[in-house]
Amino acid sequence: MKSKPVIMDHFSTVHTSFIVNFTFINNITILTGDSGTGKTASFSFIKECMAVNPNILCLNYLDYQKDIKEIISQAGGKLIVVDNADILLDDDTRKYISLDDKNQYLIIGRNPKNLFATKENLFELVSKKVGEQTELSIKAYL
């Protein structure tokens, strides 16, 4: 499913020796890939920005006992970033996300089931050295 981002086309932040530089082309971006590639580190850097940017909402394994669907259904106008999505999102919540037109999603996980995803939604993390820093960006997975 391809739909234009509703909250932001681009997110960028600098954290010590890392630059996170993501360009979004869809309302639902699924970030997948091997362990140890920097997905959760990227989530941590984005989560730090949540304190100063009210348009960002981050959820991860610490929110496991919470009603995730209820949290996101009450949110509006947010980039919702979900790490550990494979364990955090049940099928009902995934279906809700796939039809949500008031928020934008960055889903970090390996299972796109019930998100009505196509190859246009699947991305992987790319890292490259830029001087003394490492830049993290996303590129099409397939």
Side-chain angles (χ1 to χ4, degrees):
M1 174 197 318
K2 184 172 184 177
S3 61
K4 189 176 189 262
V6 296
I7 307 304
M8 62 180 73
D9 296 321
H10 186 258
F11 174 83
S12 183
T13 188
V14 177
H15 182 276
T16 60
S17 61
F18 290 94
I19 302 167
V20 176
N21 192 17
F22 291 178
T23 299
F24 301 110
I25 60 170
N26 295 307
N27 199 43
I28 298 175
T29 301
I30 301 168
L31 184 57
T32 190
D34 294 332
S35 296
T37 57
K39 297 182 304 294
T40 296
S42 297
F43 172 84
S44 298
F45 303 148
I46 296 169
K47 187 172 182 176
E48 287 180 3
C49 294
M50 185 173 76
V52 294
N53 186 338
N55 293 331
I56 298 174
L57 172 63
C58 293
L59 303 165
N60 67 0
Y61 69 93
L62 296 173
D63 301 299
Y64 183 71
Q65 298 295 327
K66 297 178 183 173
D67 185 344
I68 301 301
K69 183 179 175 189
E70 179 68 20
I71 292 169
I72 63 177
S73 68
Q74 292 182 9
K78 304 244 186 237
L79 170 65
I80 300 176
V81 184
V82 182
D83 192 20
N84 305 110
D86 296 342
I87 60 169
L88 202 58
L89 302 179
D90 62 22
D91 286 344
D92 192 43
T93 304
R94 289 168 180 266
K95 289 175 187 173
Y96 179 86
I97 288 170
S98 69
L99 300 172
D100 185 4
D101 62 354
K102 61 184 187 218
N103 294 298
Q104 181 176 333
Y105 294 89
L106 173 59
I107 308 289
I108 302 171
R110 292 184 179 88
N111 181 3
K113 178 183 168 197
N114 286 329
L115 287 168
F116 304 135
T118 64
K119 69 178 186 166
E120 286 85 12
N121 299 97
L122 299 174
F123 292 83
E124 64 183 327
L125 201 61
V126 177
S127 64
K128 71 176 181 180
K129 287 297 262 182
V130 178
E132 296 292 317
Q133 295 178 306
T134 300
E135 180 180 13
L136 301 170
S137 60
I138 56 176
K139 73 169 191 166
Y141 183 67
L142 301 173

